[in-house]
């Protein structure tokens, strides 16, 4: 870092150019690896004491590294960002990521819906092997370096020893999104860019708050709706929903979250439709309910006739305005509601709780090589860019692929500049 720093000091004849990578998440560490393999002198900076905190957290519930579905379908998962991400995803596709993990001693398997996981399930064995490789290639790591933007063309960092600056030959920013700030990614980097270069951060793959009172939320906390079908705006998903103190969460809801989030922003609320008995059609449920003695309590009739659990009964009976009153004596009316119960959602959960972040650095602030148009030699990759995708391995894959593409572009740019 100082003038005597062997990595970032001015290159001497015969030395390769120096690259600063800021952000030691998967995007930054993968770019660092590619750059070091290309013979560049690389130093990775991060504000945290240890690298890849969010990547390690991603492994806590099974590291879904990528997805083995056909590439064209895979690319569609990025919605409007497909066009800008496609070259990077094709240059380093899911199969290449899997092979790379396997070459680092982490065999992978393909699970349901094409999801690819390392057999170890956790991120730590892969990260350890990766860091060993970086060290062997001479990549250096500067922890506790909080990037503070630029002073002219120098990078500024706050460190425990005070502020330091450096002038690498090229820089990669891989600063992540704006959720799970305790793991290092808080989106504060946005203040070093002009507003026109940014799209506002929004939660993605997030839970939502139903329009329930606080008392109701506390009563529901811990409830799980098992294997329900969710419908919103023409899209359908299936799986488990969990009610927490903060709202309702779960993979099938995350998959709908961009649509629901945008509908709430537009209309103030969104009605999510739940099929509480996806295995039975409406007529079959009505017939079963009709066979239960009418003298039984409503809870018993719903349990015996439709096998509804207490959390499912609570959602069914909460009812919301557009559906009007429920005729609980009428099996047909109950069956109709069971197949299309309404949950009114009024806000996404806070951004910091989201699995990922929409918004960030706009692609039109970058050229096709991920280089900032107004800062030659400064590149960006990973979740800090303005794209979003569902869970299922698409998030990490785009971080690796953009890290790979930015590293190749940095090397080419340095070659041209030398
Ligand atoms: C609970 C959870 C589970 C997940 N599971 C999966 C999964 O199974 N599959 C999947 O595909 N995705 C998953 N994700 C998402 C995935 O982890 C992220 O998309 C990915 O880590 C983003 O990589 P990145 O390198 O762009 O940024 P990050 O991993 O966020 O890394 C950015 C780095 O930059 C550093 N930084 C930020 N600002 C500064 C600054 N000013 N100065 C210095 N350093 C700074 C941070 O400390 C951090 O180390 C999960 C996320 C969460 C929260």
């Amino acid at each position: 870092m100082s003038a005597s720093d062997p990595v970032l000091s001015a290159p001497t004849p015969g030395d390769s150019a120096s690259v600063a990578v800021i952000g030691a998440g998967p995007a930054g560490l993968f770019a660092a690896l590619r750059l070091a393999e290309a013979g560049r002198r690389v130093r990775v900076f991060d504000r945290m004491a240890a690298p890849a905190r969010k990547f390690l957290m991603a492994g806590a519930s099974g590291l879904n590294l990528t997805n083995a579905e056909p590439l064209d379908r895979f690319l569609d998962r990025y919605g409007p960002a497909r066009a800008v991400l496609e070259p990077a995803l094709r240059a380093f596709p899911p199969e290449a990521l899997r092979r790379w993990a396997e070459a680092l001693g982490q065999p992978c398997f393909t699970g349901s819906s094409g999801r690819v996981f390392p057999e170890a399930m956790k991120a730590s064995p892969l990260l350890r092997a990766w860091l060993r490789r970086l060290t062997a290639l001479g990549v250096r790591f500067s922890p506790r370096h909080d990037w503070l933007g630029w002073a002219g063309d120098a990078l500024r960092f706050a460190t425990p020893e005070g502020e330091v600056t450096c002038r690498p030959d090229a820089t990669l920013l891989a600063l992540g999104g704006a959720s799970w700030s305790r793991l290092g990614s808080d989106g504060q980097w946005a203040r070093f860019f002009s507003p026109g270069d940014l799209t506002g951060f929004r939660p993605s793959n997030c839970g939502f708050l139903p329009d329930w009172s606080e008392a109701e939320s506390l009563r529901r906390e811990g409830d799980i709706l098992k294997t329900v079908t969710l419908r919103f705006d023409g899209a359908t998903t299936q799986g488990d929903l969990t009610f927490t103190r903060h709202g309702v969460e779960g993979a099938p809801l995350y998959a709908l979250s961009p649509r629901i989030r945008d509908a709430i922003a537009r209309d103030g609320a969104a009605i999510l439709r739940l099929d509480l008995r996806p295995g039975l059609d409406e007529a079959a449920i009505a017939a079963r309910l009709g066979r239960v003695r009418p003298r039984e309590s409503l809870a018993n009739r719903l349990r015996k006739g439709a096998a509804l659990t207490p959390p499912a009964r609570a959602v069914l009976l909460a009812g919301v305005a557009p559906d009007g009153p429920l005729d609980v004596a009428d099996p047909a009316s109950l069956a109709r509601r069971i197949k299309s119960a309404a949950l009114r959602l009024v806000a996404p959960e806070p951004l910091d709780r989201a699995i990922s972040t929409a918004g960030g650095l706009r692609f039109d602030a970058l050229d096709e090589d991920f280089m900032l148009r107004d800062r030659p030699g400064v590149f960006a990759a990973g979740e800090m860019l303005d794209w979003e995708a569902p869970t299922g391995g698409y998030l990490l894959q785009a971080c690796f692929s953009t890290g790979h593409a930015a590293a190749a572009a940095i090397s080419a740019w340095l070659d041209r500049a030398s």
Side-chain angles (χ1 to χ4, degrees), residues 248-259:
V248 55
E249 300 178 350
L253 187 58
Y254 297 161
L256 298 174
S257 61
R259 293 164 188 257

Side-chain angles (χ1 to χ4, degrees), residues 19-31:
V19 184
V21 172
I22 314 179
L29 291 180
F30 195 59

Side-chain angles (χ1 to χ4, degrees), residues 22-28 45-48 52 54-55 57-58 62-64 145-147 174-177 180 183-185 189 354-355 382-384 393-396 399:
I22 314 179
F45 299 89
D46 202 288
R47 56 149 56 118
M48 304 300 279
K54 192 181 269 187
F55 183 66
M57 175 58 79
L63 185 72
N64 185 189
H145 277 61
D146 194 354
W147 181 56
L175 299 156
W180 289 66
L183 305 178
S185 316
W189 53 261
I355 297 289
E383 198 182 317
M384 71 180 291
Y394 310 100
L395 299 167
L396 284 173
C399 294

Side-chain angles (χ1 to χ4, degrees), residues 54 58 61-69 73-74 76-78 112-117 179-180 203-207 237-240 249-258 353-357 383 387-398:
K54 192 181 269 187
S61 51
L63 185 72
N64 185 189
L65 206 49
T66 184
N67 199 295
E69 70 185 358
R73 228 168 97 213
F74 187 99
D76 275 343
R77 306 290 181 176
Y78 297 92
S112 59
S113 358
R115 290 166 187 243
V116 175
F117 300 87
S179 71
W180 289 66
S204 189
N205 295 302
C206 59
T237 58
Q238 196 172 65
D240 298 349
E249 300 178 350
L253 187 58
Y254 297 161
L256 298 174
S257 61
R353 284 183 59 83
I355 297 289
S356 59
T357 310
E383 198 182 317
W387 56 271
E388 66 178 316
T391 57
Y394 310 100
L395 299 167
L396 284 173
Q397 179 68 53

